């Protein structure tokens, strides 16, 4: 089985290393030898830590995908369009199997690529695109095939989890920890895809499609990142018995008499005794709940050369064995149109942090605004006293509708006594 690899960066070089070091094991598992025949990247002369001298070189990865002597094309370039998309489309058109780690590509073009692959008889694998080394696509698509999945959620971005974990452990604020993470290579120079939740949203959109059998709908994911989470929020969360995690959550819901899927990525307060609260640092975790199996939990490294190459290899082995499983668990013709339930129909309990001037009557204005929107308060913390400056007030609510909560926060933000925009974090009930 001949393999062409487009992209020789972290994952590309890791994949070449794995295929070389595990050659004997893979041959026994596939029933035939796997060999890399062709590669493509931008700079032919860059030192990559792996020997590529024996492979045919292509400057253009799409040309390689169309012309190389290969059965499988592995796309490890990245980006939702451009060279990555052209490479996958060319490989599929040529009837070659495609394996990719590219979540942006699959989140934007997954449904059409799956349809094209089915038409040309090519296999499409993207295990490495979601949660790195955790085999969650296989778990949902194959291991849980006998279940109706009711909810799938997880920590899908290691950079955010590292930052939130370190903020909690050190009491420091977001900006300083992000700068350290960039220096240590845990965060990109441009961290926006990670810290603004986009990377987790790409992965969630893919999980949603595999779990619920609907078309990939990245535009339907509600996305919030972690830039607004402060050290104070993390300390208040601890005091209230919670931890703050950036979760991606997809849930089948019935709202207004219609079935749909809620897809959301945002910081969540989860009970400190919930298993997912203890997934720390760069680790990822995914929880999938099925009607027959109950709750299943998967944890592991969500990125890095080794874990991601491990997932790439799993897809290569499937193709080499001749497995033909629909990429999104059902044939692309049978994927239902995405029906995303908007956040305005969401309901949850909420944590709200206000910075208020320390004078009598402030709280009355706040509670009136909540009451007017039928938001019921569960608890309030107002401890510090400072006649010269603003003090924090923290409120938690009982479960309430998101739209009423947003209106109440707008009213509260407009009060003369409230000096900053109120900060809200949803309190996630992870109970079934
Ligand atoms: N890094 C991870 O831990 C991880 C985890 C899961 C998924 N992924 C996904 O895996 C993919 C690759 O990530 P990575 O971290 O390995 O990226 P990377 O280190 O930046 O490597 C990208 C590679 O693509 C090549 N490339 C870029 N544009 C090209 C073009 N137009 N034509 C040919 N080659 C081109 C680059 O060539 P040069 O080297 O010559 O510049 C480089 O070798 C992405 O989709 C990413 O989201 C990564």
């Amino acid at each position: 089985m001949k393999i062409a690899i487009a992209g020789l960066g972290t994952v590309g070089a890791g994949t070449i290393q794995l295929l070389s070091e595990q050659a004997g094991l893979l041959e026994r598992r596939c029933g035939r030898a796997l060999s890399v025949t062709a590669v493509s990247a931008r700079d032919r002369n860059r030192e990559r830590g792996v020997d590529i001298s024996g492979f045919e070189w292509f400057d253009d990865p799409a040309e390689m995908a169309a012309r190389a002597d290969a059965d499988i094309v592995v796309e490890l370039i990245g980006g939702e369009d451009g060279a990555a998309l052209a490479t996958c489309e060319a490989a599929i058109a040529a009837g070659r199997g495609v394996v990719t780690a590219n979540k942006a590509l699959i989140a934007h073009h997954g449904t059409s690529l799956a349809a094209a692959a089915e038409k040309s008889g090519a296999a499409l694998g993207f295990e490495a695109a979601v949660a790195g080394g955790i085999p969650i696509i296989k778990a949902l698509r194959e291991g849980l095939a006998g279940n109706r999945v009711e909810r799938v959620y997880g920590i899908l971005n290691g950079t955010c989890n590292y930052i939130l974990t370190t903020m909690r452990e050190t009491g420091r604020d977001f900006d300083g920890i992000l700068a350290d993470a960039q220096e240590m290579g845990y965060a990109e120079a441009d961290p926006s895809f990670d810290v603004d939740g986009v990377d987790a949203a790409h992965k969630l959109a893919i999980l949603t499609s595999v779990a619920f059998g609907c078309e990939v709908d990245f535009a339907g994911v509600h996305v919030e990142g972690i830039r607004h989470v402060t050290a104070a929020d993390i300390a208040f969360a601890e005091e209230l018995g919670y931890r703050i995690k950036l979760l991606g959550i997809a849930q089948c819901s019935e709202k207004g008499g219609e079935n749909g899927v809620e897809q959301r990525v945002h910081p969540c307060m989860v009970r400190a005794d919930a298993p997912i609260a203890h997934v720390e640092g760069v680790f990822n975790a995914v929880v999938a709940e099925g009607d027959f199996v109950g709750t299943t939990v998967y944890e592991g490294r969500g990125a890095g050369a080794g874990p991601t190459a491990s997932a790439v290899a799993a897809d290569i082995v499937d193709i080499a064995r001749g497995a033909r499983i629909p990429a999104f668990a059902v044939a692309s013709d049978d994927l239902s149109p995405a029906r995303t339930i908007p956040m305005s129909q969401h309901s949850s309990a909420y944590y709200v942090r206000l910075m208020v001037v320390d004078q009598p009557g402030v709280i009355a204005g706040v509670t009136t605004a909540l009451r007017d929107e039928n938001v019921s308060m569960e608890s309030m913390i107002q401890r510090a006293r400072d006649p010269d400056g603003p003090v924090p007030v923290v409120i938690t609510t009982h479960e309430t509708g998101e739209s009423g909560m947003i209106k109440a926060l707008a009213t509260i933000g407009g009060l003369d006594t409230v000096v900053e925009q109120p900060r809200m974090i949803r309190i996630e009930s992870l109970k079934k």
Side-chain angles (χ1 to χ4, degrees):
M1 175 83 23
K2 295 171 185 162
I3 300 164
I5 299 183
L8 299 172
T10 307
V11 185
T15 300
I16 289 177
Q17 186 186 353
L18 184 151
L19 292 175
S20 159
E21 288 184 18
Q22 310 281 51
L25 178 111
L26 291 171
E27 181 170 350
R28 283 175 54 222
R29 289 188 175 157
C30 296
R32 53 175 152 171
L34 304 179
S35 62
V36 177
T37 52
V39 292
S40 176
R42 275 179 305 210
D43 180 352
R44 188 171 189 167
N45 299 314
R46 177 171 292 175
E47 172 49 48
R48 302 180 184 277
V50 288
D51 181 9
I52 57 166
S53 60
F55 312 140
E56 188 180 3
W57 172 270
F58 286 82
D59 285 326
D60 178 354
E63 189 197 341
M64 177 180 79
R67 287 206 314 106
D69 180 19
D71 306 294
I72 299 175
V73 174
V74 182
E75 185 280 302
L76 302 170
I77 295 170
E80 68 187 65
D81 291 309
L85 180 61
T87 301
C88 292
E89 286 177 340
I92 288 170
R96 306 181 206 272
V98 170
V99 174
T100 177
N102 188 339
K103 48 253 170 172
L105 175 84
I106 297 299
H108 286 277
H109 304 289
T111 309
S112 57
L113 287 172
E118 283 165 26
K119 208 166 155 211
S120 81
L124 172 66
F126 46 79
E127 182 64 71
V130 182
I134 304 174
I136 188 62
I137 301 296
K138 274 181 174 299
L140 284 169
R141 192 177 55 195
E142 293 152 52
L144 301 182
N147 289 262
R148 192 174 292 278
V149 175
E150 291 157 344
R151 178 168 65 169
V152 56
Y153 63 91
I155 294 172
L156 300 174
N157 184 275
T159 305
C160 288
N161 205 43
Y162 171 82
I163 292 172
L164 292 171
T165 300
T166 312
M167 285 174 75
R168 186 180 62 76
E169 286 170 353
T170 63
R172 291 169 60 209
D173 250 315
F174 173 83
D175 290 328
I177 308 278
L178 172 62
D180 288 357
Q182 285 171 315
E183 211 160 278
M184 288 185 293
Y186 291 158
E188 303 281 340
D190 175 3
S192 47
F193 258 43
D194 290 323
V195 301
D196 294 331
V198 179
D199 175 80
H202 284 149
K203 296 166 182 169
L204 185 71
I206 299 169
L207 281 181
T208 302
S209 178
V210 177
F212 302 114
C214 52
E215 292 174 358
V216 190
D217 179 24
F218 174 68
V221 184
H222 172 86
V223 192
E224 294 170 30
I226 63 167
R227 285 185 203 264
H228 294 304
V229 177
T230 64
D233 294 324
I234 289 184
F236 279 121
E238 289 275 288
E239 188 171 337
L240 292 162
Y242 296 106
R243 286 198 181 163
I244 300 177
K245 294 287 180 191
L246 183 77
L247 296 188
I249 302 168
Q251 185 163 17
C252 236
S253 295
E254 207 209 290
K255 293 271 162 71
E258 273 192 87
N259 278 326
V261 182
E262 227 180 53
Q263 299 189 83
R264 51 199 169 90
V265 170
H266 53 75
C268 296
M269 286 203 180
V270 296
R271 290 224 49 95
D273 57 6
I276 205 152
H278 297 275
V279 176
E280 300 281 44
V282 295
F283 275 75
N284 282 197
V286 182
V287 179
E289 296 166 351
D291 53 356
F292 272 69
V293 72
T295 299
T296 60
V297 184
Y298 313 82
E299 184 180 346
R301 291 182 191 280
T308 313
S310 159
V312 168
D315 280 340
I316 293 175
V317 168
D318 269 354
I319 298 175
R321 284 169 171 161
R324 283 291 179 275
I325 297 165
F328 291 99
V330 295
S332 58
D333 279 355
D334 288 333
L335 290 170
S336 54
R339 206 188 86 75
T340 300
I341 295 176
M343 278 308 272
S344 54
Q345 292 183 29
H346 179 67
S347 58
S348 156
Y350 294 85
Y351 157 97
V352 177
R353 180 174 52 78
L354 310 171
M355 295 304 288
V356 302
V357 293
D358 193 9
Q359 65 186 40
V362 171
I363 299 304
V366 173
T367 51
T368 302
L370 292 172
R371 190 205 55 205
D372 287 351
E373 296 300 336
N374 287 323
V375 177
S376 149
M377 253 173 37
E378 192 203 23
S379 71
M380 187 173 75
I381 305 174
Q382 183 198 21
R383 194 168 305 109
R385 297 232 59 188
D386 182 355
D388 300 323
V391 293
V393 170
V394 164
I395 292 164
T396 61
T397 76
H398 292 290
E399 183 164 338
T400 190
E402 175 109 357
S403 50
M405 191 69 217
I406 299 291
K407 280 191 208 147
L409 291 178
T411 306
I412 291 168
L415 296 173
D416 289 343
T417 48
V418 174
V419 301
E420 282 176 16
Q421 272 311 301
R423 290 288 168 217
M424 170 269 273
I425 298 177
R426 297 174 189 85
I427 299 174
E428 203 60 42
S429 165
L430 298 178
K431 288 203 199 96
K432 280 194 74 183

